[in-house]
Amino acid sequence: MNTPMEKVEVKLPGRAYWIEIGSGTLGRLGSRLRELISAKRVTLITDQNVGPLHAARLIKSLESSNFQVADITVPGGESSKSLEQARLIYDELAGLSHGRHDPMIALGGGVVGDLSGFVAATWMRGVPFVQCPTTLEADIDAGVGGKTAVNHASGKNMIGVFYQPSLVWIDVDCLCTLNDRDYRAGLAESVKHAVIFDEAFLQWHEEHVDAITAREPRIVQELVRRNCEIKAAVVVEDEKEAASKGVGRAALNFGHTVGHAIEAVSEYELRHGEAVSLGMVAALDLAVRHCHFPDRERQRIESLLSALGLPVRSARPLDASALFARMRSDKKAKHQTIRFVLPSRIGNVAWFEAPAEESVADAIDRVIGA
Ligand SMILES: NC(=O)c1ccc[n+]([C@@H]2O[C@H](COP(=O)([O-])OP(=O)(O)OC[C@H]3O[C@@H](n4cnc5c(N)ncnc54)[C@H](O)[C@@H]3O)[C@@H](O)[C@H]2O)c1
Ligand SMILES: [Zn+2]
């Protein structure tokens, strides 16, 4: 089904670009890219799951606009976010003589986006980069904001750069092939954006729970657009997470202090969004006790997460001391002191430094299962 495209501008000084969102638009990227770029060749990077489902339409559209297309397929899953995988791609780019002005296109979820973005930023000191996200997580979070990375043995996303794309092209129809668990996991970031930024958007979720979970195209497109607007606004205010006063881009970390630790301690059995859902529940518990966040609003958000099919208690018990150890070694901890981004009301978050350990333990108890 084709619906009108919607556009969100990421107004970064000197590097402004558009996020263009539509339904059934993957087959139109070629002509859009032609308006932006005169190169003859492009390299498409995708993964083994997404490639067979969606690459043909994209390649046909690029070829119709006179691009010569080379495609590189990486294995699906987080293990592809590695320096080794990046090196294999560099080898292929060398074989293809991929030049300084030839664009690189990422077609896939956050893994393909983060890996390809890192390669695009570093190959010949940076080539034009286009994101075509295909998961909800990537549509509303990973695909927007210019963070690229691969993982290192010492932790996730340890090696990376900020590198903004030239265009983000979102065809929400790609989500039709995404499994239910991954789709719902992506919704956690949508609730996060609403809590940190926009009470009206939280209410919009409550009013459209059935349509959201049924993936009604018009509603999904609206959800993606509003999320992109929110993420773009946060990124434009503080592109490199360097805010000297206020919380800046780190607002996006709401739910992630406990969430990242749960994700790791579950040995990645939980999806990122599921862990973030639990992390938000724990953070809201702290917010009620320390930041005057109203308890009825905490209950409201928990009910919404449940209605969207996201966990609010871990199904399998998790080890609290392992979670503490992880949180202390988190990149965003300062001198091993755990820090949280917490709301005082919906739409307003701030750093909360070094809470008492018993308080954090209580918040964690709420979500880690019996
Ligand atoms: N750069 C950022 O700002 C940022 C933000 C959030 C998350 N991330 C990163 O994103 C990654 C997670 O992204 P994700 O949740 O998209 O995971 P993913 O890329 O691993 O995709 C999940 C699974 O779905 C498959 N898939 C993707 N699109 C599909 C489709 N349309 N139909 C069928 N299957 C499809 C993939 O092959 C994979 O198996 C993590 O590495 C995380 O660190 C980055
Ligand atoms: Zn996240």
Side-chain angles (χ1 to χ4, degrees):
M1 186 187 61
N2 287 306
T3 53
M5 300 277 303
E6 295 187 88
K7 295 169 97 178
V8 176
E9 189 176 19
V10 185
K11 284 189 192 148
L12 285 164
R15 293 182 311 293
Y17 61 93
W18 289 96
I19 303 167
E20 304 191 8
I21 307 153
S23 160
T25 51
L26 211 50
R28 306 214 304 256
L29 177 64
S31 52
R32 178 69 178 103
L33 197 58
R34 228 345 131 216
E35 293 169 12
L36 296 177
I37 286 168
S38 60
K40 290 200 176 62
R41 295 188 297 190
V42 300
T43 300
L44 174 70
I45 303 180
T46 188
D47 77 20
Q48 280 165 342
N49 303 324
V50 179
L53 295 167
H54 301 292
R57 263 188 309 148
L58 190 53
I59 291 173
K60 190 167 161 226
S61 139
L62 292 163
E63 287 177 344
S64 314
S65 294
N66 296 319
F67 286 105
Q68 275 173 40
V69 186
D71 58 309
I72 298 176
T73 302
V74 302
E78 187 70 29
S79 59
S80 281
K81 266 178 60 172
S82 67
L83 272 182
E84 175 57 12
Q85 189 60 60
R87 191 186 64 75
L88 292 171
I89 298 176
Y90 295 136
D91 290 349
E92 294 210 42
L93 293 173
L96 292 163
S97 304
H98 184 107
R100 170 77 188 82
H101 301 290
D102 300 336
M104 210 172 276
I105 303 176
L107 174 70
V111 164
V112 167
D114 280 10
L115 168 71
S116 312
F118 178 73
V119 170
T122 47
W123 182 251
M124 304 183 93
R125 299 198 186 90
V127 298
F129 178 50
V130 176
Q131 289 261 27
C132 296
T134 62
T135 63
L136 190 58
E137 173 78 33
D139 285 352
I140 70 177
D141 196 353
V144 185
K147 276 190 178 178
T148 77
V150 293
N151 301 327
H152 181 256
S154 64
K156 240 174 91 84
N157 300 327
M158 292 304 277
I159 308 162
V161 285
F162 287 93
Y163 192 65
Q164 299 294 345
S166 309
L167 176 69
V168 180
W169 189 259
I170 301 178
D171 179 351
V172 294
D173 283 9
C174 291
L175 298 176
C176 297
T177 56
L178 191 65
N179 68 44
D180 205 47
R181 192 170 172 196
D182 280 310
Y183 176 74
R184 285 173 192 267
L187 293 172
E189 305 286 3
S190 188
V191 174
K192 176 192 82 176
H193 283 149
V195 173
I196 65 172
F197 208 83
D198 185 0
E199 203 274 336
F201 191 39
L202 192 78
Q203 194 177 333
W204 179 91
H205 283 82
E206 292 168 326
E207 287 162 2
H208 295 94
V209 164
D210 292 342
I212 293 169
T213 51
R215 309 189 202 185
E216 263 181 36
R218 191 182 57 79
I219 292 294
V220 173
Q221 187 165 328
E222 197 172 338
L223 180 137
V224 170
R225 196 233 331 121
R226 184 66 192 125
N227 273 288
C228 289
E229 284 170 355
I230 293 173
K231 177 123 191 215
V234 174
V235 167
V236 166
E237 187 202 316
D238 176 25
E239 182 188 1
K240 297 194 171 163
E241 207 167 318
S244 52
K245 62 179 191 325
V247 70
R249 184 172 180 155
L252 300 166
N253 207 43
F254 168 62
H256 284 60
T257 309
V258 175
H260 278 144
I262 289 180
E263 196 180 1
V265 169
S266 82
E267 291 175 334
Y268 296 91
E269 202 179 89
L270 285 175
R271 296 288 193 275
H272 175 73
E274 293 168 343
V276 168
S277 179
L278 295 169
M280 287 192 285
V281 172
L284 290 169
D285 183 78
L286 285 170
V288 168
R289 275 182 289 130
H290 299 286
C291 310
H292 308 288
F293 189 76
D295 192 52
R296 62 169 195 289
E297 297 288 41
R298 180 192 64 71
Q299 288 173 32
R300 180 183 171 200
I301 297 163
E302 242 185 84
S303 302
L304 175 62
L305 291 168
S306 296
L308 294 171
L310 286 160
V312 294
R313 305 274 177 280
S314 170
R316 164 166 97 71
L318 296 164
D319 178 358
S321 52
L323 288 174
F324 267 104
R326 273 282 169 175
M327 286 192 285
R328 279 194 204 95
S329 63
D330 191 276
K331 279 206 293 301
K332 293 194 172 74
K334 254 191 182 170
H335 314 297
Q336 299 227 316
T337 305
I338 306 168
R339 309 198 296 163
F340 288 85
V341 168
L342 299 179
S344 52
R345 58 179 167 78
I346 293 171
N348 187 52
V349 286
W351 277 117
F352 182 63
E353 310 270 347
E357 217 155 90
E358 310 79 71
S359 197
V360 181
D362 286 349
I364 282 176
D365 270 353
R366 192 181 256 282
V367 298
I368 61 176

